[in-house]
Amino acid sequence: MVNTYDFGLVGLGVMGRNFILNVADNGFTAFGNDLDEEKVNALIEEGGNEEKVNATSSVATFAQGLSTPRKIMLLVPAGKVVDIVIDNLLPHLDKGDIIIDGGNSFFTDTDRREAYLQEKGINFFGAGVSGGAKGARKGPSIMPGGSRDAYQHVKPIFEAVSAKYKGEPCVAYLGPKSAGNYVKMVHNGIEYGLMQLTSEIYDLLKKAGDLTNEELHRTYASWNAGRLQSFLVEITSEIFEQKDDLGDGHLVDKILDKAKQKGTGKWTSQNAMDLGIPVPTIDVAVSMREISALKEERVKADELYGRPIPESVVKKTLVNKAESALYFAFIITYAQGMHQLADASKEYGYELELGEIAKIWRAGCIIRAALLADITQAFKADAGLQNLLLSPSFLDKVQETVGATRELVAYGATNGIPLPGLSNALTYFDAYTSSRLPLNLIQAQRDYFGSHTYERLDKEGIFHTEWED
Ligand code: 6PG
């Protein structure tokens, strides 16, 4: 069993086990490693043929069993565990071997690990993997970043196991250093935005249109058959159908309205702030998870303030407008995420090709959507596109849906239904498309109280005024 297996995987939790079985399904031999003997045995049993899929709890046996250069993927929790696993592996590796971190690691950790391993002659990849447990088993979207040369060794395996969109693999070499983890982080930021939007539209349809769960199921299912076709809209329609197996009625009505988070959405927002890129729809999606956590306070405040009784609306009209508004806000959310990627690419030297990124998001990942085919086209047509909103191919899509968005945002504000994702998307759009904003006044205020200076529209240079004179 020396140097035989094509691919190694450390961390045989659900994701790891599914990924390794996917590798084996695609004709590669795979070797798993986990300290937990139960997980090791479970994989051997499920693999069915030890020549194709095997596992061990011994790091030495694991490393010996892999063909060189070793290709070892880690699917372990982000954070310290990744460093521990790397240090455990190191004594058993040779120069030229490749370690791939497939978790949601913070991108600066990936840069640090890459530099550390480079000194030892080991190639390190940060590869975002999206698609959950099912994706890992049947075909995820994979976002690798690291050394372009070393990627050639991993490429055949990743292309085979990844999801396919019309036969094209949903994986591509994205760029050096932490490019892969960075792209996955922004993917998750977009994921937060889309999830917030689908949820608030549900709230609106329920409170303003009195839609039952059956109607919500049918509405989201019909949207999924149209331009809103996407994984998140699809699973949303299925969620409304699910009966509660512990009681009467539908499960969705029994789930506590407090959303948890592991941090990737927050990182996207934080880093966007650092870079000076506006991503307000993603920011507010993070804030809404934080507001959701304040359940007890919300209950008290609801009793204190109450809210208006929503004016009645025609159900069909509401549903049509909601479809338009959701489409509009989806576009804006992708636009913000892509904008962040474009700027981060310059800042961190990732040399990202946005068309390639949209392309590998078309299948396998959580934010896959019909819209991504259009986004791919827009960036293929103009690789330097500053913002999706400036693409001629998006003009009509946005113009046609912004009116309904305005009406719903106004309705939500009048009737006390929070639509923060939708209204932020609209505000972003209105601000981004304003040739003149009132920030001249902010400059005047800054100069007034702090002599911070300002520029003028009509003359070159830096100016200061003694305002109080
Ligand atoms: C994916 C998901 C995956 C995970 C999220 C959940 O692309 O497969 O994004 O990575 O489900 O990290 O994130 P939160 O726990 O922060 O919602």
Side-chain angles (χ1 to χ4, degrees), residues 120-255:
K120 300 177 186 328
I122 306 292
N123 291 297
F124 184 66
F125 277 86
V129 179
S130 178
K134 198 168 166 194
R137 185 71 185 85
K138 296 285 174 202
S141 169
I142 311 177
M143 296 154 243
S147 141
R148 190 186 284 276
D149 290 342
Y151 182 65
Q152 299 315 312
H153 296 288
V154 184
K155 189 177 170 191
I157 302 178
F158 276 3
E159 289 194 349
V161 303
S162 71
K164 307 289 178 299
Y165 178 86
K166 297 188 178 165
E168 288 185 80
C170 289
V171 57
Y173 171 79
L174 295 184
K177 302 184 290 182
S178 52
N181 283 121
Y182 193 92
V183 170
K184 177 64 186 355
M185 177 186 81
V186 174
H187 164 286
N188 282 24
I190 296 172
E191 173 184 304
Y192 272 51
L194 306 183
M195 289 170 81
Q196 171 59 34
L197 290 163
T198 48
S199 303
E200 61 193 50
I201 289 287
Y202 146 60
D203 200 26
L204 178 75
L205 294 177
K206 206 171 142 94
K207 288 182 181 153
D210 265 335
L211 267 76
T212 62
N213 286 321
E214 294 300 342
E215 288 170 320
L216 286 163
H217 158 66
R218 283 200 297 276
T219 300
Y220 277 78
S222 73
W223 290 353
N224 190 49
R227 60 185 169 177
L228 272 173
Q229 190 281 318
S230 57
F231 173 72
L232 286 168
V233 170
E234 181 189 344
I235 64 164
T236 305
S237 84
E238 287 170 13
I239 286 168
F240 291 124
E241 259 198 316
Q242 186 76 38
K243 292 274 164 46
D244 182 6
D245 55 358
L246 298 179
D248 295 335
H250 287 89
L251 182 56
V252 69
D253 297 326
K254 311 280 180 64
I255 296 179

Side-chain angles (χ1 to χ4, degrees), residues 101 160 172 255 298-299 405 423:
D101 176 11
I255 296 179
R298 287 192 284 117
V299 170
T405 312
S423 52

